[in-house]
Amino acid sequence: MFARLLILEARRACARRECKAAVTIMLLFALIGFAQTCWMFFGEEAGSVPGAAYGWAWNNLRMQAHALMIYIALLLFPVASLVAAGNLAQEVREGTAAAIASRTSTPTYIWANATVAFVGGFLITLAMAALLQVLALVTFPIEGSFAGSMNTPVYLETPADGLFAGLSSVRPYLANTAYALYASAWAGIVALLSFAVSLLARTNRWIAWGVPVGFGVLSSAAHGLLSSSGAIGFNTFIPSYLFPNPSTNLSVTFAVIAPTVVFGLSLLIIAAAIRMRRDVLL
């Protein structure tokens, strides 16, 4: 029963204009970011272009893909949440939520929607990263001599620190996959948090959609305050961890604990709303 409900809610989410808007925004920024990576090497000789692993537009700092910088820093979480996090709120407004839940149970219905929200945010981010890698493979050679800022050859570039640093130098495509999966997991988690808040906001899905926007703002503000005060010696701006970043100020511990805490908080909000027997479908 849960699987069938999951498929039903996924289909309903895909049919909504919010999901279509999210896909459109994602594709727009993906194509602009890819075009910027191509422009960076326009007119260069074949021996001067990077390999497809390095030329991946998600590697936005080195490839100067400014559109991807903006997307990851400001839009990744809101777009991921737009896919399906507002499903329940919209179905409550339409009057279909109670009808669907009556054929299963309210907890089953809520958890099915929560799963769709997480998977929707995860998949749209993974699809974007995968599309950019495919475009890079079509455009750039599998291997290339360029691998650094200002046309620095690969053997002169200082290895990046932070997440997946060792993996990037020996298995660059595997490292790209790891970055894509990590960013997608974060997108799914924030979409789940947005859905959890929608249980409290109920019919106002825009309040829930504002959660990922506020989440990014708070992350940026916290990073600014903590770094300026010297209270914490590592980067707490979450988008900085979602792409290949040569910064030496990243913390692997923070990269693991932060999503775990947000994921746990989201599940706690959902479970509490169900346990308190609050009528979230009215």
Side-chain angles (χ1 to χ4, degrees):
M1 181 61 73
F2 183 81
R4 290 166 60 187
L5 182 58
L6 202 62
I7 294 171
L8 172 64
E9 290 303 315
R11 287 177 176 173
R12 290 176 65 85
C14 291
R16 292 194 174 99
R17 64 176 181 270
E18 288 87 351
C19 182
K20 295 174 182 178
V23 172
T24 300
I25 295 169
M26 179 271 283
L27 289 174
L28 178 64
F29 275 86
L31 293 176
I32 293 174
F34 170 67
Q36 289 175 330
T37 64
C38 294
W39 179 254
M40 183 178 180
F41 295 95
F42 181 76
E44 296 287 339
E45 296 181 358
S48 300
V49 299
Y54 194 93
W56 186 41
W58 203 270
N59 188 12
N60 57 80
L61 283 181
R62 293 191 180 93
M63 293 301 292
Q64 295 299 296
H66 301 292
L68 268 297
M69 295 180 191
I70 295 171
Y71 184 87
I72 293 173
L74 301 176
L75 296 177
L76 189 150
F77 293 155
V79 170
S81 300
L82 192 60
V83 175
N87 281 4
L88 185 142
Q90 185 166 337
E91 289 184 350
V92 169
R93 292 182 63 190
E94 294 171 349
T96 59
I100 296 174
S102 66
R103 298 188 178 185
T104 55
S105 68
T106 297
T108 300
Y109 174 68
I110 290 174
W111 284 116
N113 274 277
T115 303
V116 171
F118 175 85
V119 173
F122 181 93
L123 288 181
I124 194 172
T125 306
L126 185 62
M128 183 178 191
L131 173 62
L132 290 170
Q133 184 63 87
V134 170
L135 290 173
L137 286 167
V138 171
T139 307
F140 298 107
I142 300 297
E143 303 292 340
S145 58
F146 173 93
S149 304
M150 302 301 291
N151 294 333
T152 304
V154 64
Y155 54 84
L156 294 180
E157 187 187 45
T158 303
D161 292 316
L163 298 182
F164 316 120
L167 191 61
S168 297
S169 58
V170 294
R171 294 288 187 273
Y173 290 101
L174 186 58
N176 287 358
T177 301
Y179 276 110
L181 290 173
Y182 183 73
S184 300
W186 254 119
I189 289 169
V190 176
L192 182 66
L193 177 63
S194 178
F195 170 80
V197 172
S198 77
L199 293 177
L200 308 178
R202 292 193 289 182
T203 58
N204 194 334
R205 65 183 184 274
W206 295 112
I207 293 178
W209 188 66
V211 168
V213 177
F215 186 82
V217 172
L218 288 175
S219 173
S220 178
H223 170 61
L225 289 173
L226 294 172
S227 60
S228 62
S229 65
I232 292 182
F234 57 83
N235 193 337
T236 57
F237 186 49
I238 292 167
S240 298
Y241 292 80
L242 306 183
F243 59 91
N245 191 339
S247 172
T248 59
N249 200 31
L250 302 181
S251 168
V252 175
T253 302
F254 177 79
V256 173
I257 292 177
T260 303
V261 169
V262 177
F263 183 68
L265 176 63
S266 303
L267 296 180
L268 184 62
I269 293 173
I270 296 170
I274 295 173
R275 187 168 182 79
M276 288 188 300
R277 298 186 181 280
R278 178 177 180 175
D279 199 342
V280 295
L281 303 184
L282 295 179

